Amino acid sequence: MTAPSTHLTAGPRRREPVVLLAVGLIALVVSAIGAKSIGTWLLEVLAALIGAVILVVTYRRFPLSPLAYRLILIHSVILMIGGHWTYAEVPAGDWVRDGLGLARNPYDRLGHFAQGFVPAIVAREILLRCTPLRPGRWLAALVLCVVMAVSATWELFEWLSAVVGGSSADDFLGTQGDVWDTQWDMFMAGVGAITSLLLLSRLHDKQLRGLSPTDTGAAGHRSAVTTGSRRSENPAS
């Protein structure tokens, strides 16, 4: 009696990534229309474009969990909004700045928080499915290291853009005169990663256990997640 139910739920799960991709493509086109600078827009959405290509190419042999796909779409939309207006001029950020009496538009802080929040789940999933790691402190520590490496790489990319583009890259950098902007960006990414691990790890484990056995590595990481759950109360885990 359980087989028909599994079959029925497999269809929508397989279709969801396609729907999310379609939504993302529509949002991408909309964000490009009337963008302040098409060059800045392209730099801001470049990560989303590269990520989309990778996800499409690897979908059949390594489909991700629904949670990962949904978070990636949310992060992509955040990037698109920043690309459309530039991070320093997003209207919603101006409203928050004026309402809270802040000195700068805080939208870029949200962007870098998402830069930690979303990649944390993606990194966690890849590590669980492709390595012998189990849920626990070591996994969390390595996920945080991966996120901070991604954040540092992005900051180096921004630095290179400034070296090559000079003042024309100001809109892309969005420092708003803050000499500690790079440090704040990496700090927010770290906070995002820690928040994501604290809030979503259990849901993520549940979705990993529910992946189809035909998905590459699914059986292995379902076992890993189950084993890790049993060891989660052990301080040495």
Side-chain angles (χ1 to χ4, degrees):
M1 296 299 291
T2 57
S5 175
T6 303
H7 175 73
L8 289 174
T9 57
R13 283 197 174 187
R14 285 290 185 178
R15 289 192 296 269
E16 182 178 348
V18 178
V19 174
L20 294 177
L21 177 62
V23 172
L25 290 175
I26 294 172
L28 181 69
V29 172
V30 171
S31 71
I33 299 173
K36 179 180 177 180
S37 166
I38 197 65
T40 299
W41 172 85
L42 181 59
L43 288 173
E44 297 291 6
V45 304
L46 183 61
L49 292 173
I50 294 174
V53 172
I54 293 174
L55 291 177
V56 169
V57 171
T58 61
Y59 174 67
R60 288 190 178 276
R61 59 188 178 88
F62 199 85
L64 300 178
S65 64
L67 176 63
Y69 281 127
R70 295 164 191 169
L71 288 176
I72 290 170
L73 175 61
I74 292 172
H75 191 192
S76 298
V77 171
I78 291 174
L79 295 175
M80 294 171 196
I81 293 173
H84 180 83
W85 277 288
T86 76
Y87 277 86
E89 299 181 20
V90 172
D94 287 340
W95 301 337
V96 174
R97 178 198 62 201
D98 296 340
L100 299 180
L102 303 177
R104 70 197 304 279
N105 186 312
Y107 187 79
D108 67 321
R109 304 295 191 223
L110 171 64
H112 285 279
F113 179 87
Q115 190 185 66
F117 193 93
V118 176
I121 293 300
V122 178
R124 187 178 190 273
E125 182 155 335
I126 293 173
L127 288 173
L128 279 174
R129 295 174 63 175
C130 298
T131 75
L133 284 168
R134 302 291 187 265
R137 296 174 184 175
W138 276 111
L139 175 65
L142 289 174
V143 167
L144 182 59
C145 288
V146 170
V147 168
M148 297 310 295
V150 170
S151 179
T153 301
W154 183 257
E155 295 304 321
L156 289 173
F157 175 64
E158 288 188 342
W159 166 76
L160 180 61
S161 301
V163 171
V164 174
S167 60
S168 62
D170 288 349
D171 284 338
F172 174 58
L173 297 177
T175 60
Q176 302 181 65
D178 185 357
V179 297
W180 301 109
D181 185 70
T182 297
Q183 288 78 7
W184 270 108
D185 290 347
M186 296 182 67
F187 172 75
M188 291 305 298
V191 171
I194 293 171
T195 304
S196 181
L197 292 173
L198 290 175
L199 295 181
L200 299 179
S201 289
R202 288 189 178 182
L203 173 61
H204 192 215
D205 288 343
K206 180 179 179 181
Q207 290 197 358
L208 292 179
R209 288 193 294 269
L211 285 178
S212 167
T214 59
D215 294 337
T216 302
H221 76 253
R222 277 206 308 275
S223 175
V225 170
T226 303
T227 303
S229 299
R230 288 197 300 264
R231 295 179 180 176
S232 61
E233 296 181 0
N234 186 342
S237 64

